[in-house]
């Protein structure tokens, strides 16, 4: 079996991910001619919309061979509106290249991505790209990487003539390497102290690979994806520094779906990364799922039809009509993957321009949600539809996709912040059997209390679990957790309830020949499901909830002379300043403000800074709204 490396290419928008992917494919001989983003001819920006706009919208997979390693490369979008695409990919990577521009340096998304990569312990190599462009400053970017990303950067190439078309790279002197590595490798340090000459380059490289695999250090290469300078060195590093595994492909298959697309005839194609075992044509991906009817895997850089996809590989599966992005498949199938980034902060009403396309729009959106589980659709009893969103660009993309792929012209209106609710105190409620307020054949007690994130616990007598409906207590707990999660979609004010612990404190069900208090038709799963929101709402009413709004942290860099007007402008937009610093005639101001005020600040910035102000922003959690809490119409 060949060795495989599943590699993600990640970066802030426009840093050069797609150009680098194209360059690597070309250098490895996987494509015969090199395409350009600006001409709309790259392999991985294959969607019409991507080619026209020159940005990546969906993650794309390609494959190349370096030495004896088969590298599956996943080019991701950098625009924050499409962070959901990166979210799904993170869970299937063996390693990543985080690209940063030698001109723009570390940008907000660079930080967000590095934090996620570190948290998930994805071994990462950095590539300082665009050293051929005017203004490139590799040394300054290296300092930023250390300071702003908080990683121990190990430069492996040195750039010369950066900022010119003659920019080149050479191997960095190895002196720095021992300093970077000895801290976390006592044996290496001891060997070096005993006899520095005996620490061979091979020994150092092995130590570097080991610490890279453990996410302790981050090797950094420099170059230009455009001219190809430095990419050969990067390719060497990818296969010698990132952990290339030879996974065990015996036993039943387990993997994760990380992308769904539709084929020419509208059929679903699911991309799977296999972690162990193997999956075959005609296998079911879960007990209750459809059968796989076709498999394609990469071989020497191209998709080929096969009967099996094995551990370590990426495969395209057909026949799975009901599969969703993020789903785990195979023997150890558990929940959907957890999310790694901030949630969408906007919601907009979406309406078809032609009134007779309402049903078609609903069906089309349902298909988009399968591909993008972070898009949440709400349909109100009146039939009106809303979608949750990250931003304006995503809105335009949804609009263009609906028009091009489904022939539906839509209008977005009433874009508003996506508020959440948090419980204020503790509340509990209970429904017993045969009471006038309980139309169901099940009984439930729930307690709600503030927490960080969402958690569900089962604290009931196991005798009270209907084991004729659920196979065991764990299955009952999982089902109840899902009912509770669904019910929390709309709290007292109609917003999603977050940050709460829900404990199930009592349970019961009626039986035909039971004592009078329990006598009745046998309870079904539907009784538990339907009763859950009633009890939960009562518990929430007792606990009380507070409506909170999504916040952004903005950082503005501007000429020092404009400080006064920048501060005034921020205050007018309701921002709270919590830091400012002046250096070399320029000033940085950091401030928190409601996320929906950001576009206004963006528009107001050029006039108060003579066009010299730069705004960066990132999601900064939720804060209670001041004044009257906004409410949203409930759908139930
Ligand atoms: N001069 C120079 N330009 C580059 C280089 N790499 C990329 N570019 C240009 O930078 C722009 C963005 O490149 P992309 O490859 O689309 O960047 P990306 O990171 O894939 O962008 P998104 O996927 O939209 O986030 C394009 O105009 C490229 O031609 C480079 O090494 N040097
Ligand atoms: Mg791209």
């Amino acid at each position: 079996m060949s060795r495989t490396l599943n590699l993600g290419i990640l970066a802030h928008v426009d840093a050069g991910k797609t150009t680098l992917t194209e360059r690597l494919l070309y250098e490895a001989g996987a494509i015969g001619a090199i395409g350009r983003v600006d001409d709309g001819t790259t392999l991985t920006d294959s969607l019409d919309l991507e080619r026209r706009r020159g940005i990546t919208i969906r993650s794309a997979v390609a494959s190349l061979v370096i030495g004896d390693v088969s590298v599956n490369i996943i080019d991701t979008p950098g625009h924050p509106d499409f962070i959901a695409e990166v979210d799904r990919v993170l869970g299937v990577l063996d390693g990543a290249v985080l690209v940063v521009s030698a001109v723009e340096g570390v940008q907000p998304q660079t930080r967000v991505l590095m934090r996620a990569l570190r948290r998930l312990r994805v071994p990462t190599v950095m590539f300082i790209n665009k050293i051929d462009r005017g203004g490139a400053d590799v040394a300054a970017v290296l300092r930023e990487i250390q300071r702003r990303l908080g990683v121990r950067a190990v430069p492996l190439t040195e750039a010369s003539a950066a900022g010119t078309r003659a920019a080149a790279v050479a191997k960095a002197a190895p002196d720095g390497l021992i300093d970077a590595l000895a801290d976390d490798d006592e044996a290496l340090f001891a060997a070096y102290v005993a006899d520095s000459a005996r620490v061979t380059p091979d020994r150092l490289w092995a130590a570097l690979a080991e610490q890279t695999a453990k996410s302790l250090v981050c090797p950094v290469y420099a170059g230009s994806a455009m001219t190809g300078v430095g990419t050969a060195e990067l390719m060497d590093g990818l296969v010698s520094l990132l952990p290339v595994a030879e996974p065990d492909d015996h036993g039943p298959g387990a993997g994760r779906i990380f992308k769904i697309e539709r084929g020419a005839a509208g059929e679903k194609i699911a991309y799977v990364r296999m972690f162990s075992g193997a999956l075959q044509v005609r296998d079911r991906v879960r007990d209750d799922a459809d059968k796989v009817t076709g498999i394609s895997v990469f071989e020497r850089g191209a998709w080929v039809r096969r009967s099996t996809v094995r551990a370590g590989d990426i495969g395209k599966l057909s026949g799975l009509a009901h599969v969703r992005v993020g789903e785990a498949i195979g023997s150890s199938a558990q929940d959907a993957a957890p999310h790694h980034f901030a949630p969408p902060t906007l919601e907009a009403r979406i309406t078809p321009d032609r009134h007779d396309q309402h049903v078609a729009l609903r069906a089309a959106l349902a298909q988009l949600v399968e591909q993008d589980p972070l898009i949440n659709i709400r349909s109100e009893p009146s039939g009106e539809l809303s979608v949750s969103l990250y931003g304006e660009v995503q809105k335009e993309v949804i609009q263009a996709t609906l028009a091009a792929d489904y022939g539906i012209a839509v209008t977005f209106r009433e874009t508003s912040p996506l508020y959440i609710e948090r419980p204020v105190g503790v509340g509990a409620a209970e429904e017993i059997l045969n009471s006038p307020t309980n139309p169901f054949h099940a009984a439930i007690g729930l307690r709600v209390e503030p927490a960080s994130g969402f958690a569900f616990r089962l604290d009931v007598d196991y005798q009270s679990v209907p084991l004729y409906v659920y196979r065991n207590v764990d299955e009952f707990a999982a089902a109840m957790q899902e009912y509770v999660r669904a019910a929390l979609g709309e709290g007292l004010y109609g917003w999603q309830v977050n940050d709460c612990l829900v404990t199930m404190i009592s349970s019961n069900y009626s039986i035909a020949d039971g004592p009078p208090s329990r006598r009745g038709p046998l309870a079904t799963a539907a009784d538990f499901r339907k009763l859950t929101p009633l009890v939960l709402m009562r518990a929430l009413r007792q606990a009380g909830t507070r409506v909170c709004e999504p916040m952004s942290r903005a950082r503005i860099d501007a000429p020092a002379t404009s400080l006064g007007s920048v501060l005034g402008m921020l205050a007018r937009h309701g921002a709270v300043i919590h830091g400012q610093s002046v250096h070399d005639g320029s000033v940085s101001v950091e401030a928190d403000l409601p996320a929906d005020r950001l576009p206004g600040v963006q528009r107001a910035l050029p006039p108060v800074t003579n066009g010299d102000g730069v705004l960066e922003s990132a999601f900064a959690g939720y804060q209670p709204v001041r004044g009257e809490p906004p409410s949203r119409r409930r759908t139930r």
Side-chain angles (χ1 to χ4, degrees), residues 12-19 37-38 54-56 76-79 129-130 132-133 224-226:
H12 189 92
V13 66
D14 257 4
K17 296 171 291 294
T18 302
T19 307
V37 170
D38 312 276
I55 64 166
T56 305
T76 64
H79 196 287
N129 188 30
K130 305 196 185 183
D132 61 297
R133 248 185 64 194
S224 162
M226 186 78 104

Side-chain angles (χ1 to χ4, degrees), residues 127-150:
F127 186 69
I128 303 180
N129 188 30
K130 305 196 185 183
I131 63 165
D132 61 297
R133 248 185 64 194
D137 186 344
V138 175
V141 175
L142 267 172
R143 283 195 300 275
E144 272 190 347
I145 291 172
Q146 301 268 22
R147 189 167 52 86
R148 296 183 68 186
L149 297 183

Side-chain angles (χ1 to χ4, degrees), residues 186-403:
E186 300 228 336
L188 181 72
F189 179 69
Y192 183 79
V193 171
D195 179 3
S196 65
R198 294 215 4 236
V199 179
T200 62
D202 280 356
R203 171 89 167 80
L204 274 178
W205 201 258
L208 180 62
E210 195 186 319
Q211 293 195 24
T212 304
K214 289 184 184 158
S215 293
L216 294 171
V217 297
C218 182
V220 183
Y221 290 88
S224 162
M226 186 78 104
T227 66
V229 162
T231 48
E233 288 80 355
L234 174 68
M235 283 165 84
D236 279 346
L238 295 179
V239 290
S240 63
L241 292 174
L242 294 176
V244 179
E246 276 180 79
D248 177 15
D249 66 347
H250 296 289
R256 194 175 287 284
I257 305 293
F258 65 94
K259 176 183 165 83
I260 285 179
E261 64 183 23
R262 297 230 161 224
E267 76 282 14
K268 237 189 211 182
I269 300 168
Y271 286 65
V272 66
R273 155 81 205 258
M274 295 301 291
F275 292 109
S276 63
L279 189 72
Q280 314 234 359
V281 172
R282 286 188 297 280
D283 280 354
R284 290 187 199 280
V285 294
R286 282 175 192 252
D287 291 352
D288 55 349
D290 303 312
K291 279 185 182 172
V292 176
T293 56
I295 294 177
S296 304
V297 297
F298 278 122
E299 230 171 69
R300 307 243 116 223
W303 289 109
V304 286
R305 287 191 80 84
R306 282 284 170 268
S307 56
T308 312
V309 55
R310 295 174 192 288
D313 282 344
I314 283 175
K316 284 204 268 195
L317 310 177
S318 33
L320 305 178
H322 303 287
V323 77
R324 294 179 65 106
V325 165
E327 200 172 291
I329 63 159
S331 52
S332 62
Q334 342 89 343
D335 299 349
H339 296 308
H340 311 296
F341 298 107
T345 60
L346 298 172
E347 183 170 68
R349 185 151 287 174
I350 182 169
T351 49
D353 294 353
R354 275 177 41 194
H355 294 299
D356 61 346
Q357 287 194 316
H358 216 95
V359 175
L361 173 60
R362 187 186 292 258
L365 285 173
Q367 286 201 353
L368 293 188
V369 171
E370 281 171 354
Q371 300 170 28
D372 193 341
L374 288 188
I375 300 182
N376 206 357
I377 296 181
R378 262 169 56 87
S379 54
E380 292 181 10
S382 62
E384 286 185 291
L385 296 166
S386 307
V387 290
S388 58
L389 293 163
Y390 279 96
E392 291 301 315
V393 178
Q394 189 189 13
K395 222 189 235 179
E396 288 167 29
V397 166
I398 292 177
Q399 207 162 26
T401 307
L402 287 170

